Amino acid sequence: MTGAPAVDKTPATREPRIALALGGGSARGLAHIAILEAFDELGIKPAVIAGTSMGAICGACYAAGLPAAEIRAGFEGQFTSPATFLKHFAGKLRGGISTLWSVRSPGIVDNVTLFEMLLPEVLHNDFDSLKIPFLAIAADFYAIEQVILDHGPVIPALAASCALPGMARPVVLEGRVLIDGGYVNPVPYDVVMDRADITVAVDVTGDPQRRPGARVPGTVEAVTGATQLLFHSITREKLKSVAPDIFIRPKVGRFAALDYFKIGDILAAAQDAKEDMKHQLSQYLEERS
């Protein structure tokens, strides 16, 4: 009489978990869309996403389940031209202009109001509704420390992560006064490295390049550009102590922080980085299969 067949107790092989970190870079952050397209083309979804500033916006859209192609179409539709944007913006404005700007500080935008107007409806929910775990990075202005936002309404968290001083009002959440997360963690790969097998980080602060004979920037461009310089420097120093498995830096340094209407050129400039990321990630997955 034969016994029962032996049970194979070998642990089932699982797919490597991938963490994705998307950095801050204002308009340069539109390059993240190309990286998200790479994930869709590979048929892979990150297990967790962390984002700072513009990286938080792109990451949240993807975490909410929007395909990269839909994210691209949404941004391209808004930033076709200044006239198109203003028309779209005017159609969304409710409650009067005072809800967005203060007479005392006309150059400072209320990001919460702005994002409620312009970001996809799928983000008008709590973190619990997202398809992929997502973390937004902000900075506590008074505590001088990083704040990881991962619960509650998504829009205020994104507004805080993008609250660039001089351009957007700080956001108060749970008693903390929060500003742009780039001041503490421009590319937040370190906050998700322990939650995955492979970590992919994307830095959109721009590729360093000298420009002999370049014009002197205006005040706004100088201030926003200096912020990108700071973000770039923080990331450079952090890489010396801890680095992700894959670090991608799209060549978008020639674009100014407010060049949102050059979205087509920014995405074109990010194509090499997109292919590089696909190649590196495919190699990592083959080695671990």
Side-chain angles (χ1 to χ4, degrees):
M1 185 174 178
T2 60
V7 176
D8 184 1
K9 295 185 179 181
T10 305
T13 303
R14 66 170 178 82
E15 292 293 325
R17 290 170 57 83
I18 302 168
L20 176 62
L22 304 178
S26 299
R28 296 170 182 174
L30 294 168
H32 289 312
I33 298 170
I35 302 302
L36 298 178
E37 288 175 337
F39 274 89
D40 283 351
E41 291 170 12
L42 290 172
I44 297 169
K45 292 294 183 186
V48 61
I49 301 172
T52 295
S53 202
M54 192 62 190
I57 293 177
C58 293
C61 288
Y62 201 63
L66 295 180
E70 190 171 335
I71 298 172
R72 174 192 277 257
F75 279 115
E76 286 180 333
Q78 287 190 16
F79 297 128
T80 301
S81 68
T84 301
F85 177 79
L86 289 174
K87 182 178 180 180
H88 177 78
F89 174 79
K92 294 277 188 175
L93 186 60
R94 298 181 180 88
I97 201 74
S98 62
T99 61
L100 190 62
W101 283 289
S102 165
V103 175
R104 294 181 178 180
S105 304
I108 307 298
V109 174
D110 177 44
N111 270 354
V112 176
T113 300
L114 182 66
F115 289 3
E116 286 175 345
M117 293 165 54
L118 300 180
L119 292 182
E121 283 297 321
V122 72
L123 295 181
H124 291 231
N125 291 295
D126 286 358
F127 277 79
D128 291 343
S129 71
L130 301 177
K131 310 295 185 185
I132 299 173
F134 171 71
L135 314 172
I137 307 302
D140 187 314
F141 182 79
Y142 290 107
I144 317 177
E145 64 183 10
Q146 171 177 275
V147 178
I148 299 174
L149 303 169
D150 61 359
H151 63 277
V154 174
I155 293 289
L158 298 181
S161 185
C162 298
L164 196 65
M167 299 188 69
R169 297 174 191 165
V171 177
V172 179
L173 290 177
E174 299 181 355
R176 290 175 175 261
V177 177
L178 304 178
I179 63 172
D180 195 298
Y183 287 95
V184 287
N185 200 344
V187 190
Y189 56 85
D190 53 307
V191 304
V192 289
M193 290 180 72
D194 61 349
R195 299 177 59 170
D197 305 298
I198 302 170
T199 303
V200 179
V202 187
D203 173 25
V204 291
T205 55
D207 46 312
Q209 50 184 278
R210 294 182 181 274
R211 299 183 187 179
R215 64 176 178 79
V216 176
T219 302
V220 173
E221 185 179 351
V223 171
T224 55
T227 299
Q228 299 305 302
L229 189 156
L230 173 64
F231 290 5
H232 188 93
S233 299
I234 293 172
T235 301
R236 181 186 62 220
E237 294 306 307
K238 189 172 73 168
L239 285 167
K240 293 177 181 179
S241 58
V242 58
D245 298 293
I246 299 173
F247 184 80
I248 301 295
R249 179 174 282 155
K251 294 183 178 180
V252 291
R254 71 177 186 272
F255 299 101
L258 300 181
D259 277 344
Y260 289 98
F261 298 107
K262 295 182 180 180
I263 181 172
D265 294 333
I266 291 171
L267 288 171
Q271 289 307 299
D272 287 345
K274 169 184 173 180
E275 295 304 320
D276 183 27
M277 199 286 293
K278 288 173 65 174
H279 176 69
Q280 289 193 56
L281 185 53
S282 296
Q283 281 193 322
Y284 262 96
L285 293 174
E286 286 177 9
E287 291 171 0
R288 291 172 181 256
S289 62

